[in-house]
Amino acid sequence: MKKRLSLLLVSAAALLGTTCPADACTGITLKSQDGHTIVARTIEWGGSDLNSQYVIVPRGYRQQSLLPGGGTDGMTFTARYGYVGLSVEQENFVAEGLNEAGLSAGLFYFPTYGQYEAYNPAEKAATIADLQLVAYLLGQCATIDEVKEAVARVHVVQIDPRASTVHWRFTDPSGRQVVLEIIEGGKVCFYDNPLGVLTNSPGLPWHLTNLNNYVNLHPGAAPSQAWNGRQLSAFGAGSGFLGLPGDITPPSRFVRAAFYQATAPRQATAEKAILQGFQIMNNFDIPVGAEFADGKVPADIPSATQWTSATDPAGRAIYFRTMYNSAIRCISLKDIDFTRVAYRAVPMDAVKQQPVERISIQ
């Protein structure tokens, strides 16, 4: 067990270390005409293959939190609700998921700006690792209000001080969404997020204020103008978005996500909104070489964006595609009997190679 925990700690530190390119997740929220709220997101890591899995967790499944310094006897928690999670590196590190009550939860990297409380061994029975908070809350909560109550009962800590902090997004079937950020040594901040966009650092209030720098942007074409007798006109379509930041930093991705989301036509059905979400998220795929100096790419993977997901809380379905297979796959929670299903963790990709359909010409 100690050897396995050591591997878990190394994985967590490598996955979230502030010296590595781990801070690139982008999330959006779409509404469909039939009343569904869709949350979509990417997860990035260019340092290695995350070996991501989907996990099926039945009601009554018992887990225990890891602790700093190698402890394995943190808070014990048992799932009241079954859920489906998308995990990274280890099956108990759920980065995105949906439970049978329709609560969606996900973590996003939040380096430098987050700060959890210091670990107190006397409180280990109520202490949970930040990378396991999504699993805990999906198993316990049906609504945003219940999430807030559950977070107030626990102490969230890092299991390795070398790792980055994270912040979290929660959405329930009503469409209500909040972001949780823990700052200043354990101060818990919940922010209502009607905009529905989230990236990484700085904190959500800063990103929302920063949008004011782009008040001049608008969809469509910019009007022609005359400057001292010279007529100026756009080179082509989309000139109203001229000045939209194109780099991969969290502030720039937040601005792009906000404007792409705001200008997306509302789709008639949840399924069409899901597909639209994947199309929008295409704009946030990060080539693996973009995060490293020339010749310093450490891993032989096809993309720094390792997977993209879209979730329909009201429809009880979660969809994903990966860097190895761009086909969209769906897990419907309505098809799962969480009182009978066995716990399982399954690799997202059985074959790590993009399928290519060859067209035969006769």
Side-chain angles (χ1 to χ4, degrees):
M1 176 59 77
K2 288 185 177 180
K3 181 177 180 182
R4 174 166 173 75
L5 179 60
S6 176
L7 291 174
L8 288 171
L9 294 176
V10 170
S11 296
L15 175 62
L16 297 173
T18 56
T19 59
C20 297
D23 53 352
C25 310
T26 303
I28 63 170
T29 306
L30 301 170
K31 307 278 188 179
S32 63
Q33 294 177 25
D34 60 358
H36 288 239
T37 297
I38 305 303
V39 288
R41 58 89 53 86
T42 63
I43 193 160
E44 276 80 22
W45 171 243
S48 62
D49 189 331
L50 290 175
N51 296 307
S52 298
Q53 302 175 80
Y54 66 83
V55 295
I56 311 297
V57 179
R59 293 182 207 165
Y61 186 75
R62 181 179 178 273
Q63 300 183 64
Q64 193 157 26
S65 178
L66 303 174
L67 292 173
T72 60
D73 56 344
M75 185 179 78
T76 299
F77 50 102
T78 301
R80 295 172 56 208
Y81 301 101
Y83 63 89
V84 174
L86 306 179
S87 69
V88 292
E89 198 63 41
Q90 302 290 338
E91 62 193 60
N92 53 349
F93 295 165
V94 175
E96 186 71 27
L98 175 70
N99 72 13
E100 59 180 317
L103 180 71
S104 166
L107 65 81
F108 291 65
Y109 303 119
F110 191 46
T112 306
Y113 287 81
Q115 187 181 62
Y116 312 135
E117 63 182 277
Y119 171 53
N120 180 354
E123 298 171 334
K124 66 180 182 180
T127 295
I128 188 164
D130 58 347
L131 299 183
Q132 293 176 273
L133 186 63
V134 168
Y136 165 61
L137 294 172
L138 286 175
Q140 295 296 311
C141 304
T143 66
I144 297 296
D145 289 336
E146 289 183 6
V147 166
K148 292 183 176 182
E149 293 169 2
V151 170
R153 294 193 295 265
V154 300
H155 303 277
V156 179
V157 300
Q158 288 176 292
I159 55 176
D160 192 299
R162 297 169 295 175
S164 167
T165 52
V166 299
H167 56 179
W168 297 264
R169 176 181 70 176
F170 303 98
T171 310
D172 67 22
S174 73
R176 183 184 178 192
Q177 184 178 120
V178 298
V179 170
L180 166 62
E181 295 178 349
I182 302 177
I183 60 175
E184 299 173 4
K187 180 181 177 182
V188 173
C189 300
F190 278 101
Y191 302 107
D192 286 323
N193 189 23
L195 180 64
V197 173
L198 190 63
T199 57
N200 314 107
S201 300
L204 179 63
W206 185 96
H207 284 292
L208 295 174
T209 300
N210 184 53
L211 287 176
N212 291 295
N213 284 319
Y214 301 91
V215 67
N216 59 299
L217 300 183
H218 59 87
S224 298
Q225 299 185 53
W227 282 13
N228 295 328
R230 180 178 178 83
Q231 189 71 16
L232 305 180
S233 58
F235 288 120
S239 55
F241 268 12
L242 192 62
L244 188 72
D247 61 82
I248 61 175
T249 63
S252 293
R253 285 184 284 107
F254 191 100
V255 173
R256 283 205 310 283
F259 279 87
Y260 289 151
Q261 173 186 293
T263 56
R266 181 168 291 201
Q267 299 298 306
T269 66
E271 183 173 309
K272 288 184 176 181
I274 286 281
L275 298 178
Q276 181 184 55
F278 279 106
Q279 292 289 349
I280 292 173
M281 298 316 296
N282 284 338
N283 294 277
F284 300 94
D285 280 355
I286 297 178
V288 70
E291 298 180 324
F292 301 93
D294 289 346
K296 303 296 184 181
V297 178
D300 182 18
I301 55 177
S303 174
T305 302
Q306 299 209 13
W307 48 264
T308 302
S309 68
T311 302
D312 177 7
R316 306 299 196 272
I318 186 167
Y319 302 70
F320 68 89
R321 69 179 182 209
T322 73
M323 62 179 173
Y324 292 114
N325 188 343
S326 57
I328 298 171
R329 287 157 275 176
C330 174
I331 301 174
S332 173
L333 278 68
K334 293 179 180 179
D335 296 337
I336 302 172
D337 182 349
F338 286 102
T339 66
R340 297 173 61 87
V341 70
Y343 174 89
R344 68 194 67 176
V346 182
M348 285 189 180
D349 295 296
V351 178
K352 294 186 175 182
Q353 177 65 45
Q354 173 64 46
V356 176
E357 181 182 356
R358 299 192 180 276
I359 299 174
S360 178
I361 306 298
Q362 302 297 324

